């Protein structure tokens, strides 16, 4: 289950809130008159999938899949080029990634710098791109009516990009800022370090993100013209024969095919051969090594990597999946269970990791407790005990067949994907699988070939491994420094004796192959629709202790369901000590049940237990067949849970480090946290929580158990392929279990409130950060309390300024890589947020945001009625896009219950109001609430200032060391100089300001609906 998740080492264009080989050889026929060489109909798909597919190979060898979905509200497209950063010139590392950024900056046919982004964003869409070892993937979605016009703009990226001189000079700053944002990520640091300590001549060794040194200063010194190199790279590698394209739209297959033919036939074919790397990225002398790395955060882990040949050709057997599933198993007899019993690790990931065309890796990673760090050799020994057990037992058809069955069920009842992510994944998949198998290939296993499994196991031996250990304890012994990330480390050879011991380690009784999985669902019947059809959740059960909301799904027709139960308890957030106690209690509980629920998780069930300020939320989801069994097991175990003293010590220490590590997190994350601390009626600071750690003892945790549910109130929601009777039964299970403990019912109907800023207030809160090189400013403009019209005015304004915000503050002014605007709706209070993470001083960025807002007034005034209506429709499309899965739909409804507003039909109600808004309405709103001197304006700015000395600050020097002039702002300076009142602490803010009222409830929460 928890197989190794690929370390995020792709570099994306934009860090906006939403965040990923082998070409197919085609027979070349002589200059066919037909623009299409080959058509592939009837691509095998899930029986659940009602979209139509067609594969086409164009005359220029570009391969494409068009997908027709008449019900699609949004269309999407993705194009994957089978070239990535491993093809960067050695002297210009990061070039493939830099080019990825530059393609968005204008084409011959649409020369405006932000032409594509503007068009897509004005029509309800979003866009992004990523670059990894051997892929560069571009993707976007848009309101379904605007697919053709967007696709026309998109296709030009690959036909005639401008790559302007001025854009090149500016966008390199965005790439640099992106790299600086990555600097403190320990997973990226480890990934980079393992590359650069490998074979120095191997392309895998390159620094794929690039920074201003590799892409600007160094090439300039050597007289290399960067823009020319970008053009050369595009010229050399952007060839139709190594591109794969996916287009999803509401049009018919024939119309979609025509679009692709018309727009992409022009992409030139340079007959590029997809590179293949025969040689592994580690030479023999780089194996049997142990790397000790000092992390930025206080984390400890042990990671093993075994280079292997490319096993992708055996995707029908998936040997890496089989071995990863066993080594990474968390059930009885697993390696993780044995490590936990010793008190050395708490989590384990294992599985194959893509390398590139020709080579691959198998990885294993465990976190380390303090004691675990002292026993890393023994942990490695246990890993080989497990691997030797697998070797001795040989491949097991029973286990392989079980996995085959689970994957088949998953495929048969597959959830519908959102078009954007789907197009992105399929386009990348087309480079790896034949078109006929692009949907089935990545999921299904169909050929049991034990010899392939045995073959992969041969590589998982001590002679072929590299070990990396992370701990801040290595500060003293780390004699070497990696220059790009500034990583302190040391690298040692593992002794022959150790290798020999690990090789021959005997198998013990502690470990065993997993037992058969009883949680695999057996029944998949879809309930008949109810006699009375309801569209929105209904209150179907109410007692002095609980309320239950319910809706039978009739949209998705899948044998799946979700059930949420919020167990409200005043004990969980009474004071910082109780917040800590509850956290550790929940972690101990999850740890305790892990072996049991892991089997259910493998079979496609999921559960979460989450702590909030109000209590604990239980969520169970997956196939409805066994959902009540899982819920009952959870509740029973929770009510009778007795913490374990040894596990307490381990998990308390983990929690203490998590609290401390907050101060090393990215400035934009810190800023969002400080918003909560300042504005929420009740929110303990990290310092307060850390201050209460000493009082957190095993005895206090044990005492918490009975207190936790002494006063409980439950609010629940069941959605999916579940009858009303079963939903009521589930609530009954929860309530009966609680009644055996609860002594009274608290008034838990109310939520916490938000600080209401006073009209005319302009506040600033300062914090410093000594870990990150970037600073960050978040400007929050509080507008109004929850009200459908006010919601839509603000959302509409944000829709209109979203793209200009990115274009002006990021692309033109180059303030930093992370720049975005968003609407905040917290505790029923609305506000606009604009965040900029930058190497500039926060006051400067604050001023630029203000100027930008002033400029937006003119921008609004100049919008034609037509443009204004386009934005209204773009927002309407976004809001009315139907959730694609049962879980997405359930979460949307649950959120209304969780915030106690119960506005289940929010999207329809608000869009109806949106469509009545005029430009004058919006201008008045913006002037009153958002602009300087507006009568209703309320502003809070959070400034996080980096105290790390800046290197290569871009205004300080150019390549030859000359002083470079400050970039000229693109918009006029704000007419009024910024003045702000300093907020000393969250307490002073709260004592000066009042609290906003609670939002209204949109549904009657007292009357139970009968006769469903
Ligand atoms: Zn990027």
């Amino acid at each position: 289950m928890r197989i190794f998740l690929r370390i995020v080492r792709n570099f994306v264009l934009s860090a906006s809130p939403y965040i990923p080989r082998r070409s197919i050889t085609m027979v070349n026929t002589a200059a066919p008159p037909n623009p299409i060489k080959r058509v592939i109909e009837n691509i095998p798909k899930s029986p659940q999938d009602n979209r139509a597919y067609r594969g086409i190979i164009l005359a220029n060898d570009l391969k494409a899949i068009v997908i027709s979905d008449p019900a699609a509200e949004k269309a999407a497209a993705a194009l994957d080029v089978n070239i990535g950063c491993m093809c960067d010139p050695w002297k210009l590392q990061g070039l493939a990634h830099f080019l990825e950024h530059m393609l968005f900056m204008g084409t011959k046919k649409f020369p405006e710098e932000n032409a594509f982004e503007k068009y897509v964003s004005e029509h309800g869409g979003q866009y992004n791109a990523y670059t990894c070892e051997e892929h560069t993937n571009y993707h976007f979605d848009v309101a379904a009516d605007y697919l053709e016009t967007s696709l026309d703009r998109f296709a030009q990226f690959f036909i005639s990009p401008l790559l302007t001189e001025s854009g090149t000079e500016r966008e390199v700053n965005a790439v640099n800022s992106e790299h600086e944002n990555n600097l403190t990520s320990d997973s990226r640091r480890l990934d980079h370090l393992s590359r650069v300590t490998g074979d120095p001549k191997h392309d895998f060794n390159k620094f794929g993100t690039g920074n201003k040194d590799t892409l600007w200063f160094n090439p300039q010194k050597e007289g290399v013209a960067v823009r020319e190199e970008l053009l050369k790279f595009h010229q050399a590698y952007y060839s139709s024969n190594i591109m794969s394209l996916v287009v999803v739209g509401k049009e018919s297959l024939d119309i979609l095919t025509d679009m692709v033919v018309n727009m992409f036939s022009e992409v030139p074919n340079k007959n590029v051969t997809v590179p293949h790397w025969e040689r592994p990225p580690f030479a023999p002398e780089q194996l049997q090594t142990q790397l000790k790395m000092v992390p930025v955060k206080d984390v400890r882990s042990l990671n093993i990597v075994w280079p292997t040949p490319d096993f992708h050709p055996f995707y029908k057997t998936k040997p890496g999946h089989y071995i990863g599933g066993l080594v990474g198993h968390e059930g009885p007899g697993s390696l993780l269970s044995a490590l936990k019993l010793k008190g050395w690790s708490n989590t384990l990931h294992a599985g194959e990791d893509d390398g590139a065309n020709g080579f691959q890796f198998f990885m294993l990673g465990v976190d380390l407790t303090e004691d675990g760090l002292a026993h890393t050799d023994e942990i490695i020994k246990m890993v080989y005990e497990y691997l030797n057990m697998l070797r001795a037992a040989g491949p097991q058809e029973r286990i392989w067949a079980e996995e085959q069955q689970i994957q088949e069920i998953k495929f048969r009842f597959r959830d519908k994907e959102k078009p954007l992510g789907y197009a992105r994944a399929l386009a990348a998949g087309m480079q790896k699988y034949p078109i006929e198998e692009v949907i089935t290939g990545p999921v299904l296993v169909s050929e049991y070939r034990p010899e392939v499994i045995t073959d992969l196991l041969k590589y998982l031996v001590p002679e072929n491994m590299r070990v990396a250990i992370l701990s801040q304890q290595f500060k003293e012994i780390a004699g070497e420094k990696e220059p790009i990330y500034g990583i302190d480390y040391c690298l040692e050879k593992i002794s022959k004796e150790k290798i020999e011991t690990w090789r021959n380690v005997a198998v013990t009784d502690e470990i065993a192959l997993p037992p058969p999985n009883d949680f695999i669902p057996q029944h998949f019947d879809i309930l008949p629709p109810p006699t009375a059809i309801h569209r929105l959740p209904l209150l179907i059960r109410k007692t002095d202790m609980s309320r239950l909301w319910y809706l039978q799904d009739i949209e998705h027709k899948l044998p799946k369901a979700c059930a949420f139960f919020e167990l409200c308890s005043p004990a969980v957030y009474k004071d910082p000590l109780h917040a800590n106690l509850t956290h550790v209690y929940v972690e101990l509980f999850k740890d305790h049940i892990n072996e049991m629920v892991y089997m259910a998780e493998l079979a496609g069930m999921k559960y979460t237990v989450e702590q909030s300020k109000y209590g604990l939320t239980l969520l169970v989801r997956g196939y409805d067949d066994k959902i009540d069994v899982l819920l009952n097991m959870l509740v029973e175990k929770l009510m009778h849970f007795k913490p374990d003293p040894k596990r307490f010590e381990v998990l308390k220490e983990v929690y203490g480090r998590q609290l401390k590590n907050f101060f090393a997190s990215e400035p934009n994350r810190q800023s969002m946290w400080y918003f909560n601390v300042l504005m929420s009626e009740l929110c303990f600071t990290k310092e307060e929580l850390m201050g209460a750690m000493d009082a957190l003892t095993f005895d206090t945790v044990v005492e918490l158990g009975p207190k936790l549910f002494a006063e409980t109130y439950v609010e629940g929601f069941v959605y999916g392929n579940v009858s009303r009777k079963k939903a009521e039964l589930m609530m009954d299970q929860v309530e009966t279990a609680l009644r055996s403990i609860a002594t009274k019912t608290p008034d838990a109907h109310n939520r916490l409130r938000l600080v209401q800023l006073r009209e005319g207030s302009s506040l600033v809160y300062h914090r410093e950060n000594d870990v990150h090189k970037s600073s960050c400013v978040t400007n929050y403009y509080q507008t109004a309390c929850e009200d459908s019209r006010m919601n839509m005015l603000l959302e509409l304004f944000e829709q209109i300024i979203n793209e200009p915000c990115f274009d002006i503050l990021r692309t033109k002014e180059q303030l930093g890589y992370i720049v975005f605007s968003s609407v905040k709706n917290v505790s029923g209070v609305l506000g606009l947020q604009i965040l900029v993470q930058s190497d500039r001083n926060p006051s400067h960025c604050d001023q630029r945001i203000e100027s930008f807002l002033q400029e937006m007034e003119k921008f609004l005034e100049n919008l034609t009625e037509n443009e204004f209506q386009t934005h209204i429709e773009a927002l309407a499309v976004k809001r009315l896009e139907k959730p694609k899965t049962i879980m997405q739909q359930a979460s949307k409804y649950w959120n209304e219950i969780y915030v106690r507003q119960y506005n289940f039909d929010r999207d329809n109600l608000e869009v109806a109001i949106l469509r009545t808004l005029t430009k004058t309405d919006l201008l008045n709103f913006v002037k009153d609430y958002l602009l300087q001197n507006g009568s209703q304006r309320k502003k809070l700015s959070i400034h996080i200032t980096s105290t790390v000395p800046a290197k290569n600050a871009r205004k300080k020097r150019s390549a030859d060391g000359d002083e470079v002039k400050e970039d000229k702002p693109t918009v006029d300076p704000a007419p009024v100089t910024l003045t702000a009142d300093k907020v000393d602490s969250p307490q002073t803010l709260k004592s000066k300001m009042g609290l906003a009222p609670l939002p209204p409830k949109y549904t009657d929460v007292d009357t139970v609906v009968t006769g469903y």
Side-chain angles (χ1 to χ4, degrees):
M1 190 74 202
R2 261 147 262 191
I3 55 167
F4 197 86
L5 283 175
R6 198 173 152 73
I7 295 168
V8 187
R9 63 160 89 101
N10 44 337
F11 323 109
V12 299
L13 175 79
S14 123
S16 53
Y18 94 101
I19 309 270
R21 312 176 216 229
R22 195 160 325 239
S23 73
I24 301 164
T25 321
M26 295 301 153
V27 184
N28 267 314
T29 52
N34 192 334
I36 299 176
K37 264 190 190 172
R38 202 180 130 210
V39 175
I40 304 106
E41 302 279 11
N42 303 320
I43 298 175
K45 58 175 188 173
S46 164
Q48 201 61 40
D49 189 346
N50 52 16
R51 293 182 277 211
Y53 294 76
R54 175 186 291 160
I56 42 179
I57 313 292
L58 298 185
N60 61 4
D61 284 338
L62 185 140
K63 41 192 181 297
I65 293 180
V66 290
I67 305 173
S68 167
D69 178 8
E73 301 96 346
K74 281 230 189 137
L79 187 142
D80 191 278
V81 192
N82 211 165
I83 281 294
C85 53
M86 281 177 71
C87 286
D88 285 345
W90 281 98
K91 287 196 161 180
L92 270 163
Q93 296 186 36
L95 193 69
H97 172 224
F98 189 21
L99 178 62
E100 173 230 289
H101 278 234
M102 288 303 297
L103 286 201
F104 285 85
M105 299 183 75
T107 58
K108 281 200 185 99
K109 190 170 174 187
F110 302 98
E112 212 187 331
E113 202 166 70
N114 59 339
F116 175 75
E117 295 95 308
K118 186 162 177 269
Y119 191 82
V120 165
S121 146
E122 279 175 7
H123 296 97
Q126 52 189 329
Y127 55 86
N128 213 335
Y130 71 81
T131 306
C132 63
E133 284 79 7
E134 46 176 1
H135 292 267
T136 313
N137 188 302
Y138 302 83
H139 38 268
F140 72 92
D141 70 3
V142 73
D145 285 338
Y146 298 90
L147 173 63
E148 189 168 9
T149 38
S150 306
L151 206 56
D152 188 17
R153 286 161 171 79
F154 185 63
Q156 296 302 315
F157 285 17
F158 313 100
I159 298 168
S160 64
L162 286 179
L163 309 174
T164 64
E165 195 73 60
S166 83
T168 309
E169 258 191 78
R170 275 178 287 121
E171 195 60 20
V172 75
N173 291 322
V175 173
N176 193 57
S177 172
E178 179 178 350
H179 166 64
E180 292 202 339
N181 186 57
N182 296 340
L183 277 178
T184 53
S185 154
D186 286 314
S187 59
R188 280 187 186 271
R189 290 164 83 91
L190 174 61
D191 177 62
H192 180 76
L193 190 62
S194 44
R195 281 165 199 261
V196 297
T197 51
D199 181 347
K201 291 201 183 77
H202 200 288
D203 290 323
F204 189 70
N205 187 319
K206 288 171 186 167
F207 167 44
T209 323
N211 62 11
K212 206 154 179 180
D213 283 331
T214 65
L215 291 167
W216 199 253
F217 294 132
N218 298 345
Q220 292 231 322
K221 263 182 229 159
E222 299 189 13
V224 175
V226 178
R227 179 178 174 255
E228 295 307 312
E229 294 296 325
L230 284 167
L231 283 166
K232 260 198 241 165
F233 194 91
H234 192 272
Q235 185 62 31
Y237 292 121
Y238 275 55
S239 169
S240 54
N241 76 310
I242 59 162
M243 290 181 182
S244 55
L245 170 72
V246 173
V247 178
V248 190
K250 62 175 185 177
E251 293 82 357
S252 68
L253 287 179
D254 288 342
I255 295 177
L256 292 169
T257 304
D258 284 350
M259 281 186 204
V260 170
V261 169
N262 293 338
M263 291 167 197
F264 290 87
S265 290
E266 250 188 273
V267 178
N269 184 359
K270 296 149 192 169
N271 289 308
V272 171
T273 308
V274 174
H276 187 265
W277 290 268
E278 225 24 86
R279 207 156 45 86
F282 303 113
E285 65 272 21
Q286 287 143 358
L287 298 169
Q288 303 172 36
T289 52
Q290 185 160 289
L291 199 58
K292 289 180 174 166
M293 173 183 134
V294 182
V296 175
K297 288 189 178 166
D298 189 1
V299 291
R300 292 184 296 260
S301 68
L302 178 139
N303 309 273
I304 305 178
V305 56
W306 295 269
T308 72
D310 194 346
F311 275 85
H312 177 71
F314 305 102
Y315 63 84
K316 289 185 178 164
T317 304
K318 295 191 175 54
H321 200 89
Y322 172 89
I323 298 173
L326 290 172
V327 179
H329 208 280
E330 300 181 15
S334 64
L335 173 59
L336 179 64
S337 292
L339 287 168
K340 272 189 179 178
L341 208 65
K342 300 263 189 201
W344 291 342
S345 311
N346 304 308
T347 56
L348 185 151
H349 307 267
E352 62 193 336
D353 186 37
D354 285 347
N357 197 356
F359 64 91
Q360 235 179 356
F361 306 106
F362 193 90
M363 308 258 215
L364 180 142
V366 292
D367 73 318
L368 296 172
T369 62
E370 281 174 318
D371 204 24
L373 182 63
H375 291 92
T376 50
D377 281 354
E378 285 93 329
I379 294 173
I380 297 171
K381 186 172 153 237
M382 287 171 74
V383 169
Y384 284 108
E385 249 178 66
Y386 197 90
L387 288 169
N388 287 351
M389 185 269 286
L390 292 186
R391 273 185 271 268
Q396 303 285 310
E397 192 163 4
R398 159 184 80 82
I399 294 171
W400 187 87
E402 197 172 73
E403 178 62 13
Q404 183 185 31
Q405 191 192 357
I406 289 171
Q407 293 303 334
E408 254 172 31
I409 296 171
K410 197 167 147 189
F411 188 71
R412 182 170 149 207
F413 301 109
R414 194 172 181 157
D415 287 320
K416 191 170 183 175
E417 301 83 356
K418 287 197 166 201
L420 178 67
Y422 194 42
R424 181 178 57 210
L426 277 185
M430 283 166 77
Q431 310 276 24
K432 270 179 116 169
Y433 299 91
I435 287 196
E436 293 81 352
E437 291 177 64
V438 74
I439 305 172
T440 50
V443 188
L444 296 180
V445 277
S446 52
E447 288 177 8
Y448 178 59
R449 292 180 61 181
E451 75 282 5
V452 179
I453 297 172
T454 306
D455 191 31
L456 176 54
L457 268 173
K458 282 183 194 151
Y459 293 91
L460 311 186
V461 290
E463 300 89 312
N464 187 43
M465 74 167 171
R466 286 167 57 96
V467 175
I469 306 171
L470 271 64
S471 165
Q472 292 193 335
Q473 274 189 21
F474 299 144
K475 264 179 201 156
E476 308 299 315
I477 55 161
E480 297 189 65
K481 200 172 196 82
E482 184 286 323
I484 292 179
Y485 279 79
I487 309 161
D488 295 311
Y489 74 99
C490 62
L491 181 66
E492 350 172 295
K493 198 80 187 165
I494 300 172
S495 73
K496 287 261 172 302
E497 293 73 44
K498 275 188 196 171
I499 297 284
E500 204 49 34
T501 316
W502 290 332
R503 219 168 88 89
N504 299 313
V505 60
V507 181
T508 60
D509 297 344
E510 282 168 24
I511 48 168
L513 289 168
N517 192 339
D518 296 332
F519 271 96
I520 298 174
Q522 309 294 331
H523 305 99
F524 306 101
D525 306 326
I526 306 294
L527 289 177
T531 38
I533 302 274
H534 293 280
R535 233 169 30 85
L536 303 172
L538 300 171
L539 182 65
I540 58 161
R541 187 179 184 279
K542 186 175 179 287
T543 68
D544 62 323
M545 190 189 212
S546 73
R547 262 199 296 250
L548 175 66
W549 300 86
Y550 164 75
L551 185 66
Q552 181 184 331
D553 168 66
I554 47 169
E555 286 272 317
H556 301 88
K557 298 184 183 68
L558 285 169
K560 295 182 184 178
C562 306
F564 299 79
F565 296 91
E566 189 192 21
L567 318 182
C568 301
S569 160
V572 301
Y573 208 70
K574 217 162 65 175
D575 50 43
L577 173 62
H578 277 79
N580 289 344
L581 281 170
T582 311
H583 179 94
V584 173
Y585 191 86
V586 169
E587 289 306 309
L588 282 164
F589 174 67
K590 289 197 286 197
D591 184 68
H592 171 68
I593 58 167
N594 191 50
E595 269 192 6
M596 288 170 274
V597 290
Y598 184 75
M599 302 300 269
E601 293 198 323
L602 283 181
M605 311 290 297
K606 293 263 182 297
Y607 91 98
T608 49
V609 183
E610 246 172 41
Q611 175 195 8
S612 75
K613 290 177 190 173
Y614 310 108
L616 304 187
T617 303
L618 301 183
L619 161 62
V620 286
R621 64 189 173 101
Y623 303 108
D624 58 80
D625 188 19
K626 307 228 162 151
I627 198 167
D628 49 335
V629 179
L630 180 60
L631 176 72
N632 202 28
M633 187 178 97
L634 272 180
V635 176
E636 283 300 317
K637 298 271 173 208
L638 184 61
M639 294 307 134
H640 303 107
F641 175 52
K642 298 269 176 291
D644 173 82
K646 261 171 78 184
R647 296 303 294 159
F648 165 78
E649 291 304 331
V650 169
L651 295 176
K652 178 188 168 181
E653 197 271 341
V654 171
Y655 177 55
R657 274 187 293 137
Q658 279 171 2
L659 286 175
K660 213 174 87 187
N661 281 337
F662 163 77
F663 298 97
S665 62
E666 296 94 329
N668 63 83
R669 281 168 191 264
Q670 294 193 14
S671 141
M672 289 181 204
W673 167 252
Y674 289 128
F675 174 85
N676 293 329
V677 168
L678 289 163
M679 296 296 289
S680 176
E681 180 179 353
L682 181 65
C683 180
F684 303 123
T685 64
K686 299 288 177 193
E687 289 87 346
E688 285 169 326
L689 295 171
M690 283 160 75
M693 281 303 278
D694 285 346
L696 176 62
T697 60
F698 181 66
D699 291 341
T700 51
V701 168
V702 173
E703 281 162 25
L704 178 75
K707 280 197 286 181
L708 201 51
F709 303 111
E711 287 183 54
T712 327
Y713 178 82
V714 189
E715 187 110 5
F717 174 50
V718 179
Y719 177 74
N721 188 44
V722 183
S723 67
R724 173 175 182 156
K725 208 173 141 205
K726 187 160 166 179
E728 288 188 76
L729 190 84
M730 286 165 83
M731 178 57 105
D732 204 51
Q733 285 174 356
V734 175
E735 209 174 311
T736 309
L738 283 170
R739 279 193 199 279
S740 66
I741 293 175
T743 47
K744 68 187 244 214
T745 305
D747 176 28
H749 299 248
N750 283 342
R751 307 272 96 170
L752 291 167
R753 298 192 284 164
L754 199 75
V755 168
Q756 189 162 36
L757 301 177
R758 266 200 294 275
E759 278 107 41
S761 53
S762 177
L763 304 166
V764 61
Y765 181 63
H766 292 282
R767 297 290 297 216
E768 286 186 345
N769 177 310
D770 60 2
V771 177
H772 221 277
K773 280 172 115 176
S774 299
S775 295
C776 182
V777 61
T778 304
N779 279 3
Y780 166 76
Y781 305 90
Q782 194 171 68
T783 55
C785 296
E786 161 73 29
D787 163 273
S788 300
R789 188 168 182 276
M790 294 305 274
N791 291 0
M792 291 329 286
L793 281 166
L794 182 60
E795 277 189 34
L796 179 58
F797 181 61
E798 200 281 325
Q799 154 68 27
I800 294 173
I801 68 161
N802 187 285
E803 193 279 331
C805 175
F806 188 81
D807 181 51
I808 293 176
L809 298 177
R810 196 193 102 140
T811 309
K812 299 221 164 63
E813 299 200 13
Q814 290 290 310
L815 291 180
Y817 173 65
I818 298 178
V819 173
F820 65 84
S821 61
S822 62
V823 168
K824 254 185 138 58
N825 185 343
V826 187
S827 305
V829 183
L830 297 159
L832 175 71
Q833 166 184 279
I834 300 181
L835 181 146
V836 175
Q837 183 171 305
S838 174
D839 58 6
R840 300 288 179 86
N841 187 293
S843 304
H844 172 79
C845 295
D846 190 350
Q847 176 85 31
R848 298 317 307 151
I849 294 171
E850 287 297 334
S851 301
F852 164 73
L853 276 180
Q854 296 301 130
E855 187 73 5
M856 285 301 102
E857 185 190 4
K858 267 182 262 165
F859 184 85
L860 261 188
E861 277 167 355
N862 292 336
L863 276 187
T864 64
E865 187 50 34
N866 209 354
E867 287 167 331
F868 183 75
Q869 288 305 327
T870 304
H871 277 296
I872 286 189
E873 279 317 301
L875 179 55
V877 165
K878 275 190 211 165
R879 289 294 304 270
L880 296 178
E881 186 184 8
K882 283 200 185 121
K884 295 287 177 277
T885 68
I886 285 183
M887 182 57 196
Q888 285 164 11
Q889 179 68 74
S891 303
K892 221 169 162 170
Y893 289 141
W894 172 249
N895 188 50
E896 289 293 337
I897 296 167
Y898 185 78
V899 300
R900 303 291 190 259
Q901 294 185 27
Y902 311 95
N903 193 359
F904 298 121
D905 205 18
R906 185 182 287 273
D907 294 320
N908 287 314
L909 292 174
E910 295 195 342
V911 167
I913 292 170
L914 168 70
R915 288 187 167 135
T916 66
L917 297 178
T918 66
K919 212 174 101 176
T920 316
D921 293 336
L922 187 61
L923 264 170
N924 289 340
F925 167 77
V926 171
K927 280 180 196 162
D928 286 351
Y929 287 90
L930 297 169
L931 298 186
Q932 284 190 25
N933 305 326
S935 62
Q936 304 287 315
R937 181 166 128 134
K938 306 163 196 138
K939 175 186 169 187
L940 168 69
S941 187
I942 298 169
H943 291 191
I944 299 186
T945 307
S946 166
T947 56
V948 178
K951 182 184 158 249
N952 288 346
R954 76 187 111 121
K955 52 188 176 189
K956 297 282 157 52
R957 64 173 176 95
S958 68
D960 45 15
D962 287 349
E963 187 86 359
V964 175
K965 275 189 222 113
E966 180 97 15
D967 301 338
K968 240 180 104 188
T970 51
V971 294
D972 298 332
V976 182
T977 329
L978 295 183
T979 51
D981 297 320
K982 219 173 111 191
V983 175
D984 296 322
S985 71
Q987 291 73 27
T988 51
L989 179 74
K990 285 171 204 176
S991 64
K992 279 183 194 154
M993 307 279 161
L995 292 171
L998 284 168
K1001 291 182 172 54
Y1002 289 81
T1003 303
D1004 176 2
V1005 297
D1006 295 313
T1007 316
V1008 171
V1009 175
T1010 51
Y1012 191 98

